[in-house]
Amino acid sequence: MALRGHRLQLDNITQRFNDYVAVSDINLDVAGGEMVALLGPSGCGKSTLLRIVSGFIRQTEGSVLFDGQPVDHLSPSQRGVGIVFQNYALFPHMTVADNVAYGLQAHKWPAEKIKPRVAEMLALVHMTEFAERKPRQLSGGQQQRIALARCLAIDPKVLLLDEPFGALDKNLRLDMQIEVKRLVREAGVTTILVTHDQEEALSMADRIAVMSRGRIEQVSPPTEIYDKPQTLFVNQFVGTTNAIPGEYFCVGNKAKVTFAGGSSLDVPKTPGYIDSSKVVVSIRPEQLHVVPSAGLVGTVKAVMPLGSHVVYDIEVPAGVSLKVSEPREGRVAMRRTGETVHVAPTSPDACHVFPAS
Amino acid sequence: MPAPKANLDWEALSLRLTFGILTIVAMIFLVAPTIVVLITSLTSSESLRFPPPGLSLRWYFALIDADQMQRAAWNSLVIAFWTTLISVALGTAASLALARSRSKWVRAADLLFMSPLLLPALAFGFAALVYINKLGFSPSVPFLVAGHVIVCVPFVLRTTVAALSQLDPSLLDASISLGGTPWMTFRRVILPLIAPGLASGAFLCFMASFDNVPVSLFLADERTEVLPIHLWQQIDTNLDVRTAAASGLIVIFTLILMLITERVAGLTQQMR
Ligand SMILES: Nc1ncnc2c1ncn2[C@@H]1O[C@H](COP(=O)(O)OP(=O)(O)O)[C@@H](O)[C@H]1O
Ligand SMILES: [Mg+2]
């Protein structure tokens, strides 16, 4: 897969709509054939960024480069960017085959080469027998395959997927995610996947760029995004977490955070804080445990048995309620509502310290 | 909550009442006269009378020799044809801009193009005559067609703008990102998808031109008499029964055109 596909660089991209900054100082380097997910809540600027890459918006500042060459002067029809739209945007009055042939005709392919190419693309997405159907005669998943085949037919330099699975129901979504990942891998095309669904980003992308309010907060491989979030936003947006406000103190070569009510937890020593710095400690529910003693003392407010795990909602004097997720083993009796328990992280490394906002 | 329910019933009732009254009015003033004309045109007698004493097609056969009326009908068809052709071309081009842009100049242009629907056509016809006389021209077919275009273009404009606003903008983005030029996008994506709207606009435009009196009254020259004016003069001077036969033909011709439009528009609707 290496050396296939085209490198895509976003260099200091800023987009303003009048006074509103929709996208701010974005830098992103996507290797040839890599799939990067843009993950963020709606309104954070993902679609705007896609429209800049595809050339439909000319960015206020910065530059888009393919293979190191700026493409800012190229119109969307000249850029060679394939887009799969959320609603697929298949031409409703054309057959499936005509839809796939459209880009080839636009690129002035000779007619005798178009036919075999269309057949090849339809075979690739397992849709050969649907060539003469109209889009409305296809299911959502089938329409998506055709939309993808239509893009890949013209061998795009960069493939953009804008919330491509949003219109599919949950079971089909997973199938199509696997299918699309396979197709994109085989084609070796550099891909940007836009989504607000963290599971989709985690399962599909080589790297995830988490966006918030027009900025990229972190770009990392999926496991790193989950295990080593660099900001509280990333920590909270990807997976669930407990955020507890407190004060940071250095104790020799260790560190701790004390909370309202006097309790405290050991945390990894984190540079950039002095004693009494206001911080937020973030611990994921599965990295908290109910323990016999020590840790934080709290009261069980709710017990939610969720299949293989049980989730407790525990109120601690620090003024917050913590979610604690524990494996549900037959021998250990579940805690009861109202019970007083001790809660502690599995290790100090499970605690992430972020500046209080 | 009984009050809102009673309210709703009143709304439903008033809707039904309005609907009913409108239907009755349409029957009395639109359908009934049409039927009366059709029956009268089938009279076997020498005079316009209803009900006719006997039925025959003699007045329809008499139309074969009505040279002057035929010439007027031909003039009207030619003028309606050119009016429709020009209106569709201009109306489509204008609606592409109107449907996309939010700028206040485009809004103002929209209002300007639509204003012939509101302005009395009689005043427009008169003003146009005075105007072209001032410029040193006299009424002629090109001026007549131009005048018709101005009063007929709103029909094309409205239906086309409506069709365009139904068009999913991501289809246009898809075409362009696949390498399509604006012309290819228009010809292969936009045009086929707005064709039903365009067809019904063209039909309305053709009919509006075909039976336009106020503009033709002022802008037609001596030699190009149009059908509606000719028919009116015939009635006015000698109560010619052939006018009824001509009216009958126009009604039938309109119905056929309407069915064709419905078919074409309906068919394209199915292709979506
Ligand atoms: N053409 C535009 N004019 C003004 N504001 C816009 C325009 N397009 C997007 N925005 C604003 O930019 C922000 C980011 O939008 P978008 O990129 O669509 O977000 P996302 O795709 O992440 O949901 C939104 O607040 C939106 O209102
Ligand atoms: Mg979006």
Side-chain angles (χ1 to χ4, degrees):
Chain A
M1 202 215 309
L3 296 180
R4 280 179 73 194
H6 301 262
R7 182 180 178 191
L8 163 68
Q9 288 159 281
L10 302 182
D11 188 14
N12 285 306
I13 302 272
T14 295
Q15 177 62 41
R16 280 186 285 270
F17 294 113
N18 302 320
D19 284 341
Y20 181 76
V21 184
V23 153
S24 170
D25 202 20
I26 298 283
N27 285 286
L28 187 64
D29 191 343
V30 185
E34 190 182 17
M35 185 190 285
V36 169
L38 293 180
L39 174 66
S42 85
C44 72
K46 307 181 296 287
S47 296
T48 303
L49 206 50
L50 274 204
R51 291 183 72 75
I52 289 170
V53 173
S54 55
F56 284 108
I57 298 179
R58 177 63 209 266
Q59 68 274 15
T60 321
E61 283 165 34
S63 188
V64 179
L65 301 96
F66 292 176
D67 293 323
Q69 299 298 317
V71 293
D72 304 310
H73 60 289
L74 295 178
S75 73
S77 59
Q78 298 167 322
R79 280 205 190 177
V81 171
I83 309 173
V84 174
F85 296 86
Q86 177 160 17
N87 62 358
Y88 318 128
L90 295 175
F91 304 126
H93 56 299
M94 295 183 201
T95 63
V96 161
D98 288 342
N99 265 282
V100 178
Y102 190 90
L104 302 171
Q105 288 159 349
H107 282 83
K108 304 269 188 306
W109 277 42
E112 70 272 15
K113 281 196 182 163
I114 290 181
K115 250 194 144 171
R117 178 66 172 171
V118 169
E120 181 193 341
M121 297 317 297
L122 290 181
L124 182 72
V125 296
H126 307 306
M127 290 291 290
T128 306
E129 63 271 38
F130 298 94
E132 294 311 314
R133 295 259 189 110
K134 290 282 173 60
R136 71 188 154 82
Q137 296 169 306
L138 304 177
S139 71
Q142 291 170 329
Q143 289 186 31
Q144 184 165 60
R145 285 165 207 259
I146 300 306
L148 197 59
R150 182 176 71 175
C151 277
L152 294 178
I154 58 167
D155 235 337
K157 290 199 170 98
V158 174
L159 182 65
L160 305 178
L161 310 172
D162 192 358
E163 312 253 1
F165 308 104
L168 300 177
D169 63 49
K170 206 162 178 176
N171 293 327
L172 189 58
R173 198 177 301 174
L174 190 60
D175 289 345
M176 282 312 296
Q177 284 171 358
I178 294 167
E179 176 83 355
V180 168
K181 191 165 178 174
R182 170 184 79 85
L183 290 167
V184 168
R185 277 284 141 77
E186 278 176 19
V189 55
T190 309
T191 306
I192 303 277
L193 164 72
V194 158
T195 180
H196 62 260
D197 178 348
Q198 41 152 324
E199 279 178 37
E200 191 170 299
L202 290 168
S203 66
M204 292 197 62
D206 299 312
R207 283 190 300 156
I208 297 174
V210 181
M211 287 184 70
S212 165
R213 287 193 251 142
R215 293 180 175 277
I216 290 184
E217 297 259 322
Q218 181 174 358
V219 189
S220 303
T223 49
E224 216 176 296
I225 287 279
Y226 192 84
D227 296 337
K228 294 178 193 156
Q230 284 165 10
T231 66
L232 184 59
F233 176 83
V234 173
N235 198 176
Q236 287 178 320
F237 193 73
V238 182
T240 46
T241 195
N242 298 296
I244 323 164
E247 286 181 15
Y248 183 92
F249 290 99
C250 254
V251 188
N253 53 0
K254 285 187 185 165
K256 66 171 186 173
V257 173
T258 62
F259 304 107
S263 53
S264 73
L265 286 177
D266 291 339
V267 298
K269 198 165 173 183
T270 318
Y273 302 109
I274 54 166
D275 281 354
S276 300
S277 292
K278 298 258 186 265
V279 295
V280 172
V281 177
S282 166
I283 315 167
R284 295 202 184 276
E286 68 270 21
Q287 287 170 328
L288 277 176
H289 281 286
V290 176
V291 290
S293 61
L296 306 171
V297 182
T299 313
V300 178
K301 286 288 172 194
V303 182
M304 292 161 279
L306 302 174
S308 62
H309 280 69
V310 56
V311 175
Y312 298 112
D313 190 25
I314 297 171
E315 195 175 279
V316 294
V320 286
S321 67
L322 304 179
K323 287 197 175 53
V324 178
S325 172
E326 286 203 314
R328 196 163 60 85
E329 289 158 38
R331 275 161 287 135
V332 183
M334 284 198 298
R335 306 289 163 169
R336 267 198 249 344
T337 310
E339 209 174 318
T340 301
V341 292
H342 295 264
V343 179
T346 48
S347 86
D349 289 336
C351 303
H352 295 279
V353 181
F354 299 106
S357 49
Chain B
M1 280 179 283
K5 191 149 192 288
N7 228 345
L8 266 183
D9 282 347
W10 274 113
E11 265 174 41
L13 192 68
S14 85
L15 183 71
R16 240 184 267 171
L17 208 65
T18 319
F19 212 80
I21 290 173
L22 277 179
T23 310
I24 292 167
V25 167
M27 291 304 261
I28 293 175
F29 292 103
L30 212 64
V31 179
T34 307
I35 292 170
V36 167
V37 163
L38 279 173
I39 294 174
T40 313
S41 71
L42 292 171
T43 186
S44 56
S45 83
E46 292 285 335
S47 63
L48 279 172
R49 205 183 321 147
F50 185 85
L55 294 179
S56 90
L57 284 173
R58 61 182 283 206
W59 295 109
Y60 282 87
F61 287 113
L63 286 180
I64 296 170
D65 297 323
D67 291 343
Q68 233 188 327
M69 200 184 279
Q70 282 179 14
R71 221 171 310 121
W74 178 248
N75 286 340
S76 281
L77 283 175
V78 168
I79 288 160
F81 171 80
W82 285 110
T83 300
T84 307
L85 201 72
I86 296 170
S87 298
V88 164
L90 294 181
T92 308
S95 60
L96 283 176
L98 293 178
R100 309 242 95 196
S101 175
R102 294 265 157 274
S103 102
K104 65 172 185 231
W105 295 112
V106 172
R107 293 297 107 209
D110 188 17
L111 207 63
L112 181 68
F113 297 152
M114 295 307 293
S115 60
L117 275 189
L118 307 171
L119 277 178
L122 209 61
F124 165 70
F126 175 66
L129 177 64
V130 172
Y131 187 66
I132 59 180
N133 270 330
K134 263 270 179 285
L135 291 178
F137 297 101
S138 50
S140 64
V141 172
F143 282 119
L144 184 56
V145 170
H148 276 208
V149 166
I150 286 170
V151 294
C152 296
V153 97
F155 295 104
V156 179
L157 219 49
R158 263 305 143 255
T159 55
T160 315
V161 165
L164 279 171
S165 62
Q166 298 284 311
L167 201 66
D168 177 2
S170 66
L171 292 178
L172 311 185
D173 288 355
S175 167
I176 288 169
S177 72
L178 287 165
T181 57
W183 171 241
M184 181 179 180
T185 306
F186 175 73
R187 196 174 54 83
R188 299 223 22 219
V189 181
I190 299 178
L191 199 55
L193 292 175
I194 65 167
L198 214 53
S200 41
F203 169 70
L204 293 174
C205 172
F206 189 92
M207 291 320 298
S209 165
F210 189 75
D211 69 14
N212 179 288
V213 171
V215 175
S216 304
L217 211 51
F218 290 103
L219 294 186
D221 56 43
E222 300 294 290
R223 278 163 301 129
T224 41
E225 197 181 21
V226 293
L227 190 59
I229 294 177
H230 177 82
L231 291 181
W232 180 73
Q233 275 164 356
Q234 290 302 304
I235 297 276
D236 196 35
T237 51
N238 50 13
L239 281 178
D240 190 343
V241 187
R242 290 178 304 179
T243 6
S247 304
L249 275 187
I250 294 174
V251 167
I252 291 163
F253 164 76
T254 309
L255 282 176
I256 291 173
L257 211 58
M258 217 159 94
L259 284 176
I260 292 175
T261 313
E262 182 57 37
R263 253 295 156 78
V264 171
L267 269 183
T268 4
Q269 209 89 44
Q270 289 228 318
M271 277 158 53
R272 281 162 183 244

